[in-house]
C-alpha cells in the first residue's frame, strides 16, 4: 500500500519498522475526536474559501461514513497506516476519491494529534469530575450515618484521640475536593487549541483558528505555533493530578484493608467486592481495596515516564512524543476503574460501631483531655502534660483506665484535681470538647456535613 507521505521515498518501509513505529493499536481510541476536529477544520477551510463548499460537503459526508465504520468495528487496522489519523484519511480517500486530500490543507499531523489528544483529555477530565463527585456523594451518605460513631483517631498508627467516624471520612471528602479543584484548573490549560500551528511554523493559508476553537469548545488558542506542537505539559499535569487522586485512593484503600482485618474488625466489606482463598476456607480477602492501593504505583510510574519522555526534547515536535499516549491512557483507565470500584464499594461497607468504640477506649485516648482539664486550673500545659503522663503510668501499673482511676488516687498525684474531672474523660466528652473550627465535635462535624451537602447540591443544580 502506498504511503500518504510516500512521494519522497524510493524504497518501501522496512516491515519491522512499520511495526515498531505504529501507534494504531492504542491511538485508535482517539477516532471520535479526530473526526470531530477534522469536520470543523474542513468547514473552516470552506468558510475561508480555501476549499469549495461542495468539496467540504463531500469530505464531511465521507468523514461521517468513516466514523460509522469505526463505531461498527468495520475498519480494519493496518500497521502500514501508522496511526488513527492516517487510517481515517486513507479510508476517506477510498470513499470519496482524491478530494479527500484537500482535508489536510493548512494542517499537519503534529497539530492534529495535539488537538485530538486535548479533546480526548478534556472529555476524560469531565468524566473524572463527575465520578469524583459521585464518590463524594457516597462518602457523604456513609458519613451522615456515623456522626456519633467513635473510633480511635491515630497518629503513628497508635491510638491518639477519639474522633467521629464522619470526621474521619470528611478528611477524604477534603482530599477529593482538592483533586476536583486541580482538575478544574488544569482543564483550562488542556482546553487550548493547537490546530492551525500546522507542522510548527503556522500556515500561509488564511485560516480562522478562533472560529475553529469556538466550534470545538476550546477556551482559547495556543498562541505560539512551535509551543502548540511541542507542548505536552497538559498531559503531565493531568498525570500528576491523577497521581494525587490515586495517592488519596491508596490511603483510603489501606484503611479499608486495616479496618476490615480481623485484627481490628471495624468494618465488613461487601461480599461482592471480596474474594476467597483457594486453600483457606475461612478467608475473605479485601482484594478490591488492595488492587486500588497497588494500582496507584503504576500511575505514579506513568507520571515519571512522561516527565522523562519530555525531558530535554528540542523544539518542536519529535516522534518521541507519540509515546505520551500509552501512559496517559493507562493512567486514565486505571483512575476511572479505581474510582468506580471505590464508589460502588462504599455503600456496601457495614460498620461495627461497638468494636470501634471499644478500640477508641483503649490506649488512654483521653489523656489529652486530662491535661487540658489541668490547664483549666491555671496549670501551664507542659506541666499538665507531665501530670497526666504520670496518671497514665499509674493506670498501666494498676491495669485500669483513666476514667476508672479513683479521685483520691488522682489527688495523690496532684491535689488540684477535683470531682469535676471524671465526666470529661469519657470518649464522647473528649470528642465533643473539640469544637474548634475543623474539629471533631459532633456539632462541628454536622456543620461540615451540611456545608458539603449544600455545595454538592448546588453543583448538581448548576449542572457542573
Ligand atoms: N502518531 C503520531 C503521534 O502520536 C502523530 C504525529 C506524527 N507526526 C509526524 N511528523 N510523524 O505523535
Amino acid at each position: 500500500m502506498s504511503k500518504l507521505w510516500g512521494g519522497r521515498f524510493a524504497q518501501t518501509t522496512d516491515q519491522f519498522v512499520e511495526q515498531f513505529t505504529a501507534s494504531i493499536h492504542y491511538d485508535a481510541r482517539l477516532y471520535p475526536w479526530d473526526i470531530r476536529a477534522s469536520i470543523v477544520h474542513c468547514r473552516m477551510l470552506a468558510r475561508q474559501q480555501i476549499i469549495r463548499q461542495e468539496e467540504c460537503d463531500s469530505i464531511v459526508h465521507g468523514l461521517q461514513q468513516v466514523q460509522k465504520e469505526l463505531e461498527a468495528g468495520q475498519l480494519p487496522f493496518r500497521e502500514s497506516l501508522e496511526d488513527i489519523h492516517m487510517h481515517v484519511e486513507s479510508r476517506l480517500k477510498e470513499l470519496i476519491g482524491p478530494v479527500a486530500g484537500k482535508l489536510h490543507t493548512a494542517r499537519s499531523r503534529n497539530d492534529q494529534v495535539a488537538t485530538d489528544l486535548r479533546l480526548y483529555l478534556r472529555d476524560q477530565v469531565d468524566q473524572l469530575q463527575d465520578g469524583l463527585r459521585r464518590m463524594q456523594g457516597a462518602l457523604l451518605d456513609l458519613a451522615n450515618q456515623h456522626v456519633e460513631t467513635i473510633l480511635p483517631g491515630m497518629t503513628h498508627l497508635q491510638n491518639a484521640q477519639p474522633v467521629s467516624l464522619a470526621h474521619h471520612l470528611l478528611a477524604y471528602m477534603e482530599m477529593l475536593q482538592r483533586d476536583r479543584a486541580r482538575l478544574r484548573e488544569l482543564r483550562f490549560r488542556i482546553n487550548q487549541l493547537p490546530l492551525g500551528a500546522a507542522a510548527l511554523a503556522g500556515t500561509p493559508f488564511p485560516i480562522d483558528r478562533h472560529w475553529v476553537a469556538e466550534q470545538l469548545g476550546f477556551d482559547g488558542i495556543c498562541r505560539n505555533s512551535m509551543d502548540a506542537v511541542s507542548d505536552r505539559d497538559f498531559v503531565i499535569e493531568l498525570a500528576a493530578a491523577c497521581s494525587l487522586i490515586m495517592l488519596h485512593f491508596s490511603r483510603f484503600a489501606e484503611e479499608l484493608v486495616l479496618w476490615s482485618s480481623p485484627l481490628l474488625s471495624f468494618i465488613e466489606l461487601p461480599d461482592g467486592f471480596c474474594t476467597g482463598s483457594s486453600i483457606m476456607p475461612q478467608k475473605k480477602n479485601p482484594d478490591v481495596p488492595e488492587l486500588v492501593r497497588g494500582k496507584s504505583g503504576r500511575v505514579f510510574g506513568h507520571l515519571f515516564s512522561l516527565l522523562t519522555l519530555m525531558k530535554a526534547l528540542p523544539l518542536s515536535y519529535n516522534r518521541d512524543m507519540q509515546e505520551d499516549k500509552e501512559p496517559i491512557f493507562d493512567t486514565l483507565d486505571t483512575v476511572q476503574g479505581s474510582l468506580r470500584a471505590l464508589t460502588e464499594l462504599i455503600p456496601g461497607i457495614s460498620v461495627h460501631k461497638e468494636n470501634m468504640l471499644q478500640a477508641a477506649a483503649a490506649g488512654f485516648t483521653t489523656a489529652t483531655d486530662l491535661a487540658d482539664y489541668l490547664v483549666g486550673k491555671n496549670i501551664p500545659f507542659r506541666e499538665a502534660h507531665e501530670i497526666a503522663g504520670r496518671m497514665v503510668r499509674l493506670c498501666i501499673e494498676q491495669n485500669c483506665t483513666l476514667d476508672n482511676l479513683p479521685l483520691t488516687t488522682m489527688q495523690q498525684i496532684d491535689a488540684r484535681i477535683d470531682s469535676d474531672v471524671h465526666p470529661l474523660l469519657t470518649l464522647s466528652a473528649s470528642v465533643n470538647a473539640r469544637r474548634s473550627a475543623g474539629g471533631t465535635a459532633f456539632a462541628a462535624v454536622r456543620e461540615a456535613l451540611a456545608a458539603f451537602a449544600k455545595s454538592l447540591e448546588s453543583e448538581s443544580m448548576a449542572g457542573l
Side-chain angles (χ1 to χ4, degrees):
M1 168 173 301
S2 72
K3 301 275 192 231
L4 291 166
W5 41 256
R8 171 241 185 274
F9 287 80
Q11 290 169 0
T12 56
T13 317
D14 180 282
Q15 259 208 332
F16 171 70
V17 169
E18 282 190 342
Q19 200 188 318
F20 186 73
T21 54
S23 55
I24 184 61
H25 53 287
Y26 52 83
D27 67 17
R29 71 163 78 186
L30 292 177
Y31 82 82
W33 295 273
D34 189 71
I35 290 175
R36 189 167 153 208
S38 285
I39 288 175
V40 172
H41 175 71
C42 178
R43 294 210 164 112
M44 181 277 292
L45 293 176
R47 266 173 67 91
Q48 300 300 105
Q49 296 172 4
I50 298 166
I51 64 172
R52 287 188 291 120
Q53 190 57 47
E54 311 85 78
E55 294 170 333
C56 169
D57 293 343
S58 145
I59 292 171
V60 169
H61 190 257
L63 284 169
Q64 284 160 346
Q65 181 59 33
V66 179
Q67 169 133 20
K68 279 193 203 116
E69 294 180 7
L70 277 159
E71 273 161 13
Q74 284 165 354
L75 198 76
F77 294 146
R78 297 191 201 101
E79 280 173 346
S80 58
L81 282 173
E82 287 183 52
D83 56 23
I84 188 60
H85 325 293
M86 294 301 212
H87 276 78
V88 171
E89 198 183 323
S90 117
R91 180 64 186 142
L92 183 67
K93 194 171 164 199
E94 283 172 12
L95 289 171
I96 67 169
V99 68
K102 296 210 169 189
L103 172 62
H104 213 53
T105 313
R107 100 178 169 182
S108 127
R109 266 189 298 159
N110 300 347
D111 56 345
Q112 185 180 356
V113 70
T115 304
D116 296 358
L117 189 56
R118 283 172 183 268
L119 287 171
Y120 170 74
L121 296 186
R122 180 180 79 188
D123 214 65
Q124 288 285 311
V125 164
D126 292 345
Q127 284 183 35
L128 276 181
Q129 273 297 0
D130 268 10
L132 288 168
R133 197 171 51 224
R134 268 197 298 276
M135 178 168 168
Q136 283 186 312
L139 274 174
L140 201 63
D141 284 345
L142 185 63
N144 270 316
Q145 299 162 41
H146 291 289
V147 174
E148 302 198 6
T149 302
I150 294 177
L151 79 163
M154 309 256 186
T155 64
H156 313 266
L157 203 61
Q158 308 284 324
N159 287 12
Q161 289 171 347
V163 294
S164 148
L165 175 57
H167 193 58
H168 191 119
L169 296 173
L170 281 170
Y172 287 100
M173 289 291 284
E174 295 289 344
M175 293 177 227
L176 300 186
Q177 197 69 1
R178 288 195 293 278
D179 289 331
R180 295 183 48 212
R182 259 184 290 278
L183 290 176
R184 249 192 320 275
E185 287 155 19
L186 68 84
R187 186 190 194 276
F188 180 78
R189 283 183 291 276
I190 289 178
N191 205 27
Q192 304 293 322
L193 175 80
L195 203 63
L200 76 162
T203 169
F205 296 99
I207 59 173
D208 185 348
R209 296 185 64 207
H210 292 284
W211 187 83
V212 172
E214 202 188 293
Q215 296 295 306
L216 290 172
F218 281 101
D219 290 322
I221 66 170
C222 300
R223 288 191 297 259
N224 177 292
S225 64
M226 296 186 75
D227 185 47
V229 295
S230 313
D231 174 29
R232 291 293 183 273
D233 290 3
F234 62 97
V235 180
I236 296 175
E237 251 188 283
L238 179 55
C242 286
S243 293
L244 276 170
I245 293 173
M246 287 305 294
L247 184 146
H248 296 150
F249 286 180
S250 77
R251 297 184 75 171
F252 184 59
E254 168 69 7
E255 298 210 295
L256 296 180
V257 171
L258 277 172
W259 289 358
S260 63
S261 161
L263 286 174
L264 290 180
S265 275
F266 281 4
I267 58 169
E268 169 127 17
L269 296 175
D271 278 3
F273 284 73
C274 296
T275 63
S277 156
S278 54
I279 170 165
M280 297 163 284
Q282 85 284 10
K283 293 274 280 175
K284 177 173 167 186
N285 296 328
D287 303 54
V288 170
E290 288 175 281
L291 278 168
V292 169
R293 186 175 64 183
K295 282 172 190 288
S296 61
R298 70 199 261 176
V299 170
F300 304 163
H302 292 323
L303 171 62
F304 218 79
S305 296
L306 289 164
L307 286 166
T308 313
L309 173 68
M310 295 307 293
K311 174 183 178 292
L313 277 190
L315 297 185
S316 58
Y317 177 82
N318 299 274
R319 188 64 179 267
D320 314 46
M321 287 154 73
Q322 177 169 293
E323 291 283 310
D324 62 357
K325 286 172 204 65
E326 283 172 295
I328 195 65
F329 291 170
D330 186 66
T331 293
L332 291 161
D333 294 348
T334 305
V335 179
Q336 305 275 20
S338 306
L339 184 51
R340 177 173 171 184
L342 289 179
T343 306
E344 291 179 9
L345 176 149
I346 290 169
I349 295 175
S350 58
V351 175
H352 300 315
K353 295 185 193 185
E354 285 312 310
N355 294 346
M356 285 192 173
L357 192 69
Q358 215 178 351
F364 315 104
T365 50
T366 57
T368 316
D369 297 271
L370 180 54
D372 291 343
Y373 166 83
L374 294 167
V375 168
K377 303 275 175 198
N378 203 25
I379 300 173
F381 183 77
R382 279 288 160 238
E383 198 185 322
H385 183 286
E386 166 73 25
I387 297 165
R390 265 187 273 147
M391 229 81 80
V392 167
R393 190 149 28 100
L394 199 68
C395 287
I396 295 171
E397 279 162 19
Q398 304 195 350
N399 195 20
C400 66
T401 60
L402 274 176
D403 55 341
N404 285 339
L405 209 57
L407 184 60
T408 47
T409 318
M410 288 189 169
Q411 285 171 333
Q412 275 158 22
I413 293 184
D414 197 289
R416 288 166 289 189
I417 298 176
D418 271 332
S419 59
D420 55 349
V421 70
H422 278 115
L424 301 180
L425 300 181
T426 65
L427 294 176
S428 71
S430 169
V431 170
N432 280 308
R434 289 175 169 69
R435 279 183 302 266
S436 50
T440 188
F442 296 158
V445 170
R446 283 205 182 86
E447 264 175 49
L449 285 169
F452 261 120
K454 205 171 142 198
S455 93
L456 288 185
E457 192 181 332
S458 67
E459 275 180 44
S460 75
M461 271 172 25
L464 290 174

